[in-house]
Amino acid sequence: MEIKAIRGFNDILPDETGKWQFVENTAREVFEGFGFSEIRIPIVERTELFSRGIGEATDIVEKEMYTFTDKSGNSLTLRPEATASMVRAYLEHQMYSFDPAAKLYFIGPMFRYERPQKGRYRQFHQIDAEVFGVGNPMVDAELILMLIHFLKKVGLEQLELQINSLGCRDCRPRYREELKKFLTKISFRLCEDCQRRINTNPLRIFDCKVKTCQEAIADAPKVIDYLCEDCRRHFGKVKEYLGIAGLLFTLNPRMVRGLDYYTRTAFEVVSYQLGSQNAVTGGGRYDNLFQEIGSVDIPGIGFAIGMERLISLMPEGKEFIRYPQLFIAALGEGTFKEAYRWINQLHLQGIRAELDYEGKSLKSQMRRADKLKARYVLILGEEELKRGRAVLRNMNTKSQEEILIDNILEIIKNKIVLD
Ligand code: HAM
């Protein structure tokens, strides 16, 4: 039986990887320009890191983690997100001892055992950026500015930035109680999952996709009305700085995010072109996560962009596939050796060149060059070689010229560079 990839795990094929490279390169360029440095973290961590960091009563920890026991009996998990690992790495290497402020980014695959559908996979990729050690609301807006700038730079349009504040350890418990009271009153209208959530994690009810639940909570209390003075001030400043940065946003008082570590600022960038899985990016502030993981009081804020969703939104028409710059059609044993020498030289100089290894007829080699969309074909016959010449054909204009074999590599390189 043929072996297939696992459900929800995708191959990214060569004609798609050009887009991925473009997105990754643009992220590196933009983020580094904003003062961020790359960090690389392991794919597998101790399960406890995520259950403590993301929260026991979240969907991710309750039902979506790829958890297994290794041969020493340790419970390990394929990372479902990057933030907790980045915090762990920052603490483990005491990066704060040099300077508490750190701006870090990470690009890589994440794993969640979700029901696969369009825009939702079991292995997916994130571009993640985090600022540790700065509680000032200026940073919230600066980070969002970087995100929007990046999304625009890769060609995304028609996006909406939604923001909310989730309060802090002082004010959120009061909100939670009010919400619980409200939900208990209308519990008979809620689905089974939401009825259970009333006690485990009432805020999660806002993410329920069941229509009747959404109708039942239309008048639920809003977290924004329960913020303490400090949180209210922080949120006011974030909005002010977003304005200074020239960014438009929508307030979404029902956005609670799927991970428990958030405090204060929460944001998402959504696209109405995406259907039900419409969030391209999610993020927010998490001023207690460091305490959960390492008992130190350090603030943090960050976001993660879903690369599959982002790439599905990129405008068509931009050319990302790289075709051969040159195809060498060699005819005959003697010419083949010469062509082999040249192609190696061209490769060493970074010219994308192809050679037919099968010794096929000129017609069949030309057909292949055409299929591969080579820009130029160098035709080298025994007769021409004896005369010290070869024919260079421009496959776009269909024009061809005889060129001298002395300095042939220079001639080809110049043509390709100038083209
Ligand atoms: P998240 O909202 O769980 O946040 O994920 C961020 C983004 O990853 C989503 O907006 C979506 O584009 C993409 N994503 C999530 N799950 C899937 C999936 N199953 N298939 C495809 N794409 C998916 C976090 O992960 C937080 N760590 C973000 C963050 C960083 N907050 C602070 N710092």
Side-chain angles (χ1 to χ4, degrees):
M1 210 174 66
E2 217 178 307
I3 301 174
K4 298 258 171 71
I6 308 166
R7 192 162 121 86
F9 286 65
N10 299 314
D11 298 308
I12 303 166
L13 301 177
D15 60 356
E16 302 162 273
T17 45
K19 269 191 184 177
W20 286 74
Q21 288 170 357
F22 167 72
V23 166
E24 287 160 4
N25 293 342
T26 310
R28 287 176 205 284
E29 187 191 310
V30 169
F31 294 4
E32 304 251 350
F34 272 75
F36 284 67
S37 303
E38 185 173 8
I39 183 169
R40 301 195 184 192
I41 46 169
I43 287 188
V44 179
E45 297 269 7
R46 289 190 183 275
T47 303
E48 203 187 345
L49 175 70
F50 302 118
S51 48
R52 253 171 38 197
I54 300 171
E56 293 282 2
T58 57
D59 280 356
I60 297 180
V61 173
E62 261 185 2
K63 43 189 187 197
E64 294 169 2
M65 295 211 297
Y66 277 90
T67 297
F68 61 97
T69 308
D70 75 1
K71 290 194 165 61
S72 314
N74 299 311
S75 176
L76 305 180
T77 294
L78 298 188
R79 60 174 181 229
E81 60 113 43
T83 315
S85 300
M86 287 161 81
V87 168
R88 182 208 39 75
Y90 171 89
L91 292 172
E92 187 168 337
H93 303 286
Q94 294 171 7
M95 290 168 69
Y96 50 84
S97 61
F98 171 65
D99 182 0
K103 295 178 176 178
L104 304 170
Y105 72 91
F106 171 75
I107 303 175
M110 307 293 154
F111 305 86
R112 294 184 194 174
Y113 192 80
E114 294 194 76
R115 202 166 46 77
Q117 63 177 82
K118 191 170 180 303
R120 191 163 72 189
Y121 310 102
R122 289 182 174 169
Q123 175 178 313
F124 60 98
H125 297 76
Q126 286 187 343
I127 300 178
D128 187 298
E130 312 285 343
V131 182
F132 298 154
V134 190
N136 193 307
M138 264 179 170
V139 162
D140 305 29
E142 189 183 312
L143 186 81
I144 295 174
L145 174 67
M146 176 173 91
L147 166 66
I148 301 293
H149 175 59
F150 164 73
L151 294 174
K152 284 193 181 150
K153 204 155 175 178
V154 294
L156 265 57
E157 287 165 4
Q158 295 176 21
L159 300 172
E160 183 176 278
L161 167 65
Q162 300 186 347
I163 61 168
N164 193 18
S165 175
L166 300 177
C168 66
R169 261 208 290 239
D170 292 334
C171 53
R172 192 146 76 213
R174 194 161 64 88
Y175 170 66
R176 227 178 107 106
E177 280 318 303
E178 285 304 315
L179 183 63
K180 260 170 107 169
K181 266 193 230 158
F182 171 87
L183 295 172
T184 311
K185 268 193 250 155
I186 55 134
S187 67
F188 63 95
R189 295 174 63 193
L190 299 174
C191 72
E192 236 173 74
D193 265 351
C194 282
Q195 288 187 358
R196 191 174 49 81
R197 286 177 182 134
I198 296 177
N199 290 314
T200 56
N201 200 344
L203 269 75
R204 292 260 56 75
I205 289 179
F206 289 108
D207 283 340
C208 180
K209 295 274 187 276
V210 178
K211 203 165 156 241
T212 46
C213 290
Q214 285 306 319
E215 286 164 4
I217 58 169
D219 297 324
K222 298 187 184 90
V223 58
I224 204 109
D225 296 328
Y226 290 80
L227 298 182
C228 62
E229 193 43 44
D230 281 353
C231 287
R232 207 193 317 274
R233 201 174 321 115
H234 186 99
F235 196 42
K237 286 280 174 204
V238 172
K239 288 187 279 187
E240 188 186 331
Y241 287 124
L242 285 175
I244 293 173
L247 293 175
L248 297 176
F249 57 85
T250 316
L251 287 182
N252 179 356
R254 286 161 162 264
M255 185 223 302
V256 289
R257 309 277 305 119
L259 304 91
D260 274 357
Y261 50 58
Y262 291 109
T263 53
R264 297 193 167 166
T265 318
F267 56 92
E268 285 186 355
V269 176
V270 300
S271 160
Y272 295 107
Q273 289 164 265
L274 275 178
S276 71
Q277 301 301 315
N278 69 356
V280 188
T281 308
R285 186 164 273 291
Y286 42 87
D287 292 343
N288 303 327
L289 180 59
F290 285 79
Q291 281 167 348
E292 294 294 335
I293 294 175
S295 319
V296 289
D297 190 7
I298 293 175
I301 181 165
F303 62 74
I305 302 164
M307 287 184 77
E308 282 78 0
R309 293 185 196 175
L310 181 153
I311 283 167
S312 75
L313 285 172
M314 276 169 61
E316 289 298 323
K318 210 168 156 155
E319 196 62 88
F320 292 102
I321 305 172
R322 291 188 62 202
Y323 301 111
Q325 291 157 300
L326 182 76
F327 185 96
I328 304 184
L331 307 161
E333 181 73 10
T335 59
F336 198 80
K337 283 190 188 137
E338 200 62 17
Y340 182 68
R341 216 162 47 80
W342 291 344
I343 203 149
N344 286 343
Q345 284 304 317
L346 290 166
H347 285 158
L348 291 173
Q349 293 177 50
I351 305 278
R352 213 174 154 90
E354 282 294 330
L355 177 65
D356 184 89
Y357 299 102
E358 312 292 336
K360 295 230 175 89
S361 70
L362 177 62
K363 198 169 159 201
S364 122
Q365 293 197 44
M366 289 307 284
R367 220 181 294 129
R368 179 149 179 257
D370 202 38
K371 193 172 77 181
L372 297 178
K373 295 200 167 75
R375 279 228 316 272
Y376 286 93
V377 179
L378 184 73
I379 305 163
L380 188 62
E382 306 262 15
E383 274 309 307
E384 283 92 344
L385 187 62
K386 274 189 212 140
R387 288 197 293 125
R389 283 157 205 278
V391 172
L392 187 65
R393 182 176 169 84
N394 181 325
M395 297 296 275
N396 288 341
T397 61
K398 310 280 182 235
S399 60
Q400 53 186 51
E401 59 184 308
E402 224 176 44
I403 55 173
L404 290 173
I405 281 174
D406 302 338
N407 285 338
I408 193 162
L409 295 180
E410 281 309 305
I411 297 171
I412 290 173
K413 257 172 56 191
N414 286 340
K415 286 249 177 237
I416 286 171
V417 171
L418 290 177
D419 205 28

